[in-house]
Amino acid sequence: LERQGAMILGDALRNAAGAQVHTGFGVFDYFLLRGFDSLSNGLVLIDQAPEPEASFYPLYNVERVEVLRGPAAFLYGGNPLSGAVNLVPERARGHSARRLTTSVGSFGSVRLEADLARSRSASPWAARLNALWTGSDGYRDGRDSRSLAANPTVEWHGSDSWLRVSAEIVD
């Protein structure tokens, strides 16, 4: 994902076999898996939890994207005839990171990403904060956009059990 510069789910699916990527009116990710559309016959999950809304899915906090092509009813119910796409978020455990990434583009586009993680092998606690801010003047007059997202995560690992608390705030 990092090497190909994937910023949203559609970018990540461009290299997936059997996937055709589009956007729905420039407002949400829209893709075809095996000829079926993602709105009526697909399913997007975040860490195995179904995502009820059609949206752009930013990848600022995603470790990997898993694509299950074909009917996924045996796992997720009758809706996903085309398949299911699971976004696996980055974990706090086992990582120590301090990374700030910025990019600029045409039409006044700016993107800032932060990844702060703290984990010690001697401690059962780990924490991570992923954040994103984007802004663009847009290519049409009066169509500027701004977005802000944050994903704090805290993990505790015992000898034979673990607990992860994570929240995602997106505006």
Side-chain angles (χ1 to χ4, degrees):
L1 295 175
E2 210 172 285
R3 267 186 265 139
Q4 75 183 51
M7 293 184 197
I8 59 173
L9 178 58
D11 296 337
L13 293 178
R14 289 194 196 290
N15 295 328
Q20 296 173 351
V21 180
H22 309 280
T23 63
F25 308 105
V27 179
F28 57 89
D29 281 321
Y30 176 79
F31 53 90
L32 301 169
L33 287 176
R34 299 179 49 237
F36 294 100
D37 70 273
S38 60
L39 293 180
S40 59
N41 295 305
L43 181 63
V44 176
L45 303 115
I46 296 177
D47 207 13
Q48 298 293 324
E51 187 64 29
E53 295 292 324
S55 173
F56 278 122
Y57 299 97
L59 301 178
Y60 72 101
N61 64 339
V62 173
E63 178 182 309
R64 68 181 183 273
V65 175
E66 301 171 340
V67 179
L68 174 62
R69 291 181 303 273
F74 62 95
L75 290 174
Y76 306 113
N79 189 39
L81 292 174
S82 65
V85 176
N86 184 36
L87 306 177
V88 179
E90 293 178 337
R91 305 290 187 230
R93 186 79 178 151
H95 300 301
S96 287
R98 287 183 205 106
R99 183 180 65 192
L100 180 63
T101 306
T102 183
S103 60
V104 294
S106 56
F107 305 108
S109 298
V110 178
R111 182 180 177 95
L112 300 170
E113 288 185 55
D115 184 4
L116 306 169
R118 182 75 171 161
S119 176
R120 292 185 182 170
S121 58
S123 173
W125 292 96
R128 184 176 209 133
L129 173 66
N130 294 96
L132 167 72
W133 180 84
T134 63
S136 177
D137 294 335
Y139 61 91
R140 295 181 290 183
D141 291 337
R143 299 292 181 194
D144 59 332
S145 66
R146 306 284 179 264
S147 63
L148 176 67
N151 180 216
T153 302
V154 176
E155 292 184 22
W156 173 83
H157 288 259
S159 59
D160 58 352
S161 59
W162 59 273
L163 173 69
R164 180 176 53 243
V165 178
S166 180
E168 185 172 28
I169 301 107
V170 179
D171 179 25

